[in-house]
Amino acid sequence: MATMKPRKRSSIDHLTNTMIESLIDEYIRSDTKRRIIKRRWLDGVTYAQMGEEFGYSERQIKRIVYNVEEAIFKHIEP
């Protein structure tokens, strides 16, 4: 089983919340995934809190966040 390596947020640290929200809306089609990544990136909600909020396990939330980050970063990283 492959392990998920943490992504560096430095590629979006210089962006405003409005710009981050636009990236999410542009590249993530699933409403649930958009809400999850916005709660993580914009609101700073923990994985455990999101698990309770969205009805997923903490592990599932981490996997969703990782996959969404991969999708967004491939569009904005050189």
Side-chain angles (χ1 to χ4, degrees):
M1 182 167 145
T3 59
M4 294 187 292
K5 57 183 175 180
R7 297 292 278 154
K8 293 182 181 175
R9 281 207 42 178
S10 60
S11 55
I12 63 166
D13 282 344
H14 67 284
L15 302 176
T16 65
N17 283 354
T18 303
M19 294 166 83
I20 292 170
E21 195 165 5
S22 293
L23 281 172
I24 293 167
D25 290 340
E26 183 174 352
Y27 295 117
I28 306 305
R29 301 220 185 275
S30 165
D31 182 55
T32 301
K33 290 178 181 179
R34 279 195 309 269
R35 289 187 356 237
I36 288 171
I37 198 67
K38 285 178 183 181
R39 294 289 284 148
R40 181 69 181 162
W41 282 2
L42 302 176
D43 302 330
V45 177
T46 67
Y47 296 118
Q49 291 169 324
M50 285 191 295
E52 290 180 25
E53 181 177 335
F54 290 96
Y56 292 114
S57 71
E58 187 174 339
R59 186 179 200 166
Q60 288 171 303
I61 292 292
K62 286 180 181 180
R63 186 173 294 126
I64 290 168
V65 168
Y66 177 83
N67 289 332
V68 168
E69 286 177 345
E70 287 291 308
I72 292 172
F73 290 145
K74 79 177 184 182
H75 291 286
I76 62 172
E77 289 181 342

